[in-house]
Each structure stands twice: as structure tokens, then as C-alpha cells.
Amino acid sequence: MNMAQWNPYFLWGAIVLCVAALAKDIVTTIKKSKEEKKPEKKAGKKSAKKAGMKAAVASEMSDKTYYIILAVLLLVAFFIRAYKFGIVPAGFNQDGAMAAVDAKALAEYGTDRYGMFRPVHLTAWGYGQMSSLLSYMMAFFIDLFGFSAGIVRFPMLLMSMVGIVGLHFFVKDVYGKNLSLAVLFFAAINPWHIMQSRWALDCNLYPHFFMLGVFLLNRGILQEKKKYVYFSMVSFGLCMYCYGVSIYTLPVFLIAACAYLLISKKLNWKQVLISAGIYLLVAWPFILTMMVNFFQWETINTPFFTIAYFPYSQRSSDILFFSGNIGVQLGQNVQSLLNTTFRQRKDLPWNDVYHFGTMYLFSMPFVILGIVDFFKNHRKKTGAVLAFIFLCTGIWAGLTTNGVNVNRINIVYYPIIIMGGLGIGYCAKRIRYAKWGVIAVYVLAFVMFSNTYFTKTADDLSGHFFGNFSEAVTYVKDAPVDKVYITADSQYTGASNVSEILTLFFHETDAEYYQGKKEIPGWLPFWQRYKFSSIGNLTIDHSENAVYVVRDYDLAYFPTDMYEIVPFEGYPMAPKYYVVRKR
């Protein structure tokens, strides 16, 4: 029996459990209300109050038990994210490869691959830019440990673990030990969180820095240590370098949180202004970059970094306010938002797994119950309100970003995890033995997810992450030839830019050689040595000292009596590639 067969049973079980917990709570509230109306002696009231306090203390587990469970859950979380790290997914995603190629150039020369000095925002494909923080983090680790798939993916794994630790301690500060472990359990085995941590995409840093900022902000308010509030502004400032949508999503959170904290007198105007100053001190280069591109100003060069103008940018069309028909686009955005979050419809292959979704398909009743619990029992807690504003900010991202997928709305998932854990805790508190049934179901789902992810999904991703192509390109890395012809049909027909960036990655190409500033003995300049084209568009010179990386349908161009053909078919779900070289 697979997950597709289990899902309806798990979903209906979750619905019944949530309804039963709500019903029991309603009945208990009615009984309590009736009892309060009865006359009681003062001594009786004091006794009841003491009993209630004792019950509350008894319900919290001991520190020893808490730390044991915490250690086990963190170990599980790390293991499932680190197992076969750098190998699964096989190959490499083109956007991650681009971030890594720029990171290598930054580590070696302090420039991107084009020679731009410490860019605040990366050129990427030219028509669509890329956030820079991931590349700068990669550059740090490349400088320390060298260049490899595992090393350039490591910053995402690291920040995913930082995010999950920040999530846990935020919930502990707000709701206590028991609920913090429930949320950590939900996060540790969460499909979205596991999958995004294992590959390298710049925008997936955004939710982790956001979660860290929320944790630090709440810790500063809770402990009345404003240094944590100021540290949170550093984390929020760094969010701006994680993903472009931060320019119209993060300020929404900060303004709403600021208004709430001022009204509730948790912060005063002096503290708010200091916080705003710290945030702007960190974020202003990115904000200025956005202004330069919006107003089409010229590139600004400074001794410390470059604020670049990208004349071919098309990213503004992704924002609701710049679409041709705001009303129609808003309706489509709502549909995309619901499909991506509540319905958990199948997304891009690297973002979720069939029949498991981003949160497990049966989790939404717990999430809804968690939201109900927030309004019913926790709306006066500062941290709970910040978590709800966090959720609303994620929803805002979905409403204002055209055609959101999991990557584009990734900041919504931490607050969804919080609400889901809150809902699970709500049921466990009110229905006897419910927690053991819920734990068993999620463990079973997690085991099935892990088995699927490391087998079938790993095979599927090898195709999407160019598994066979990567091996073929690596094979010709140091070929003793004058020219290297590489098919432009790697992602789709004629995608020469994708073939180029993957070749730069797998060949660990020197940035200055790529730019034409450096020579490699025995090699032609880069753009003479490397040719990226659909093979059918070439006139093949059989006398040329060259090697070819081709698709299976290109083999007809190469007579077998003249050429040796080396197949690369190791990943069954990936397209087949061949290296063709002269005999």
C-alpha cells in the first residue's frame, strides 16, 4: 500500500480528530462557564486556582526529557538532510550552478564571472537577475574547502538547520517546551524543508533568515534585551539579499510588526528608529540597486561593491502592480496561492513529491485548527501575533507575485509549520492518546517519503538536474583537443545559456579565462575552444581536432568508422548523452 492509498484515510482521520478536539473544547468551556456562575466559597476558589497551577506545571515535561527529545529530533532533522548530501539530487540545477560559478569567481578574484566587482545583485541570465547572498556564502566555503557539489550546497544545508533551530526556540519562547517539540517534530520530517535544504537555490535562503529574524525579534521583546531586537534587524536586512520579492514583502512584515509593538508598548519610538537604522544600514545597497533599475539610472561603482543597472531585466512583470490587468492577475494569483499552499497541488519536481506535497497532504486540518487556536487562545501573546503577521506576509507574497510556485512563496511555510504544530498540540492536549496516533501516522508518512525521495524521486531529479549531461561534460573537461562542442539541447532545444553555465560549473572554469583575460597553455581562448550549439546547426569538420557532447538523436552525424562513441546513460530518468571523439 503506497502513500496515494493512505492519504484519504489519514486526511479523514485528521479531520475527525480536529473536529473532536474542538467539540471537546466547546463542551468543556460550556461546563466551565456554568460552574463559574455557581456561588463558591473563597477557599474553594483558591483551591481550584492552586489545582490549575499544579496541573499546568505537571503538563510541562522535565528538562531532562525535553533535552533528550530535542537532541533526537535535531539528529533526525540533520541526518535526513545530510544523507547522501551532494549526491542526491544527482547532477546540478542550472540556477544553483550559476550561483556557484559566480561564487568561485568571487572567491578567487572578488568579481562575478563577468568581471563585475563584488556585485550587490548578480547578472545571472542577463534578462533575469539573481540574489547574491548565497553566492557570497558559497565563496566563503569555496575559499576554505575548495570547489565541489557538496561544498556549494552546504550553505543551504547550514541555513536550513539554523532556520529549524530558530523555529524551535521561537515556539519554545511563545508556547513552551511541549509545543516547541511538536513543531520541531513537524518541521524535522517536513517534505518542503527537507527538499529545499539539499540543493542550492538562492531564494530558498529567504525563509531561513526571515525565521531567524522573527525569533531574535521575539526573544528581544520577551527578555527585554533590546540587543536581540537589533540583531534581528541584521537578519532582516540580509533577507533583502536572499530573494528579490523581499523588496515588497519584508517591509510589510516590518511595518505591521512595528505598529503592533508600538501600540502594545513593547517598543518605544527610540528603539524603533534605532532598529530601522540598523536594518537600512544592512539593506541600503540592495534597496539602491532596486531603485537604480526601476528608475534606469547608470551603474554605481564604489570601492566596496557595485550597484549594477540591468538593462534587459524582465523581473518587474512578476509583480501584481506592474501586470497589464491587476484584477485578472489577482484572481489567478489567489488560485496559485491556494493550489500551492492549502491544496498542495503538484509543483516543480524539485519542490515536492507526488502524494506527499510540501507538508504531507493530510496536514491542512491541523494547520487550520492551529489558526483557530491562535485566535481562540493565543492572540494576546506577542510571539503568537508575530507568527500570525509572518503568515500574513507569506500570503501577501502569494497575492502579489504572479503565478507563485513553492520557491516564490517559500516564506509562508515556516508559519504554516508553526500553525500545523499548534494544531497537533491542540489535539494531543484534548484527546487522550491522540498524540501517539498522530506521531505514528507522521512517522509512517515520513518513512514512505524518505524511501520515495531517495529512490524514485532521486531518479526523476537526475533528469531535471542534468545527471547524464554532467557526467558527459565532466568527461571532456581536460580533453587534449582544440575545440569542445557541447549541445545546446540540455534543458530544451537551443538552450545554449544553460549548457554554457553547466559546463562552467562542471569544468570549474577560471573566471578570467572565461573573460579572455587569462590564457591556459595549449588551449585556445574560451570562446574559440568552447562552442555551444545544437549539433544539427553545425557543419562538422571531420578533420578538426575536436570532441563533442551530443544527444542520442545527434549520433547520425558521426560515422562510426571515424568516431568513437562513449555513452552516458547511468541515470535512467535523465536524457541520454554521448561523448563523440575521433578514433
Side-chain angles (χ1 to χ4, degrees), residues 14-27 426-427 430-431:
I15 292 171
V16 169
L17 184 61
C18 290
V19 170
L22 270 173
K24 186 171 183 180
D25 210 11
I26 292 168
V27 170
Y426 186 96
C427 292
R430 288 157 179 82
I431 306 295

Side-chain angles (χ1 to χ4, degrees), residues 432-481:
R432 194 176 182 185
Y433 305 125
K435 66 179 178 182
W436 302 115
V438 171
I439 289 171
V441 166
Y442 273 104
V443 168
L444 177 60
F446 170 58
V447 169
M448 288 193 283
F449 166 79
S450 301
N451 179 63
T452 303
Y453 178 78
F454 287 105
T455 54
K456 184 181 183 304
T457 301
D459 287 342
D460 291 343
L461 288 177
S462 70
H464 296 289
F465 282 11
F466 312 97
N468 292 329
F469 180 80
S470 69
E471 291 194 348
V473 168
T474 303
Y475 184 80
V476 302
K477 178 180 176 182
D478 298 313
V481 295

Side-chain angles (χ1 to χ4, degrees), residues 63-106:
D63 284 346
K64 182 179 179 181
T65 304
Y66 162 74
Y67 284 117
I68 290 172
I69 297 174
L70 174 63
V72 169
L73 289 176
L74 287 176
L75 185 63
V76 169
F78 179 75
F79 176 79
I80 197 63
R81 288 156 180 78
Y83 176 66
K84 292 189 176 181
F85 189 74
I87 301 171
V88 177
F92 221 81
N93 173 265
Q94 68 273 22
D95 289 323
M98 184 155 36
V101 168
D102 282 331
K104 184 174 181 292
L106 287 165

